[in-house]
Amino acid sequence: TQARLGSGIPVRCAPTDLQGVVQQVLDQTQAAYPQRMIVLQVAADTRGEWDGDRVGQALMNLVSNALKYGDASGSVTVRILGAAEGLKIEVHNSGTPIAPQLLPVLFEPMRRGSVPVSDVGRSVGLGLYIVKQIVEAHSGAVTVQSSVSEGTTFAMFLPRQAEPLSSQRNR
C-alpha cells in the first residue's frame, strides 16, 4: 500500500554484510524445503550500506519463487557477485521458463506467471512487485531472464551506498 500511495517502501540503510543476510534467508528457506538443494556462491566483498531486513525480504521472495516454480528435482543457486559500486544477487533455477509475454509485466502488482495456483499454493501476485519496490528503494534495479536452455535468473543490483528513495523524496 505504501508503494502504491507514492511514499515507497521505507528502508533504513546501515552498514551490513549481505553474506550473513543471504545465509540466514537460505537457512530459513532450506528448513521449509528440506528435500531441495540450495547452493550459495559468493564472489565478492559483501559489505555495504543496505537495509538488511528489506533485502532479506526481497531475497526470500525470489528464492521461495525459484523453489515453487522451478524444476522440483533441480537445485536453486544464489550467487553474490560484486564490484566497487555494488553487488548483484542472482537467484537461478531450471524448469519451465517464464512466458516471454509475461517478462515485461512480471514486476507489476497482481501479476502471476502461468503456473496454476493449485500447483504452487495461493498467490495474489504481489511478491515480485514488492521485490522491485525494495530494490528501487535502495536505488537499485531488478531484472529477469528466462529461457528453456538457460533456466530462469532473477538479479538484484544494489549500490553499496545507496541513498534510499524515501530520503530523496524528503528533500
Side-chain angles (χ1 to χ4, degrees), residues 116-135:
V117 173
S118 61
D119 289 351
V120 295
R122 194 170 195 289
S123 171
V124 295
L126 289 175
L128 291 176
Y129 175 73
I130 291 169
V131 168
K132 181 180 179 195
Q133 295 302 308
I134 289 170
V135 172

Side-chain angles (χ1 to χ4, degrees), residues 3-80:
R4 294 291 287 175
L5 293 176
S7 61
I9 292 179
V11 295
R12 290 175 181 76
C13 294
T16 304
D17 186 338
L18 278 185
Q19 184 169 352
V21 172
V22 170
Q23 189 63 60
Q24 183 178 17
V25 167
L26 298 186
D27 290 346
Q28 291 172 356
T29 311
Q30 187 70 72
Y33 294 87
Q35 73 285 9
R36 298 293 299 276
M37 179 183 278
I38 304 172
V39 178
L40 174 60
Q41 300 172 346
V42 181
D45 173 2
T46 58
R47 295 170 294 170
E49 292 190 17
W50 303 284
D51 184 326
D53 290 337
R54 291 295 191 187
V55 173
Q57 179 184 2
L59 181 62
M60 177 69 82
N61 188 292
L62 294 179
V63 173
S64 296
N65 281 354
L67 291 164
K68 286 180 198 174
Y69 298 108
D71 180 358
S73 63
S75 63
V76 170
T77 302
V78 177
R79 291 181 201 93
I80 305 175

Side-chain angles (χ1 to χ4, degrees), residues 2 10 25 32 76 81 94 152:
Q2 288 175 316
V25 167
V76 170
L81 309 165
S94 58
T152 299

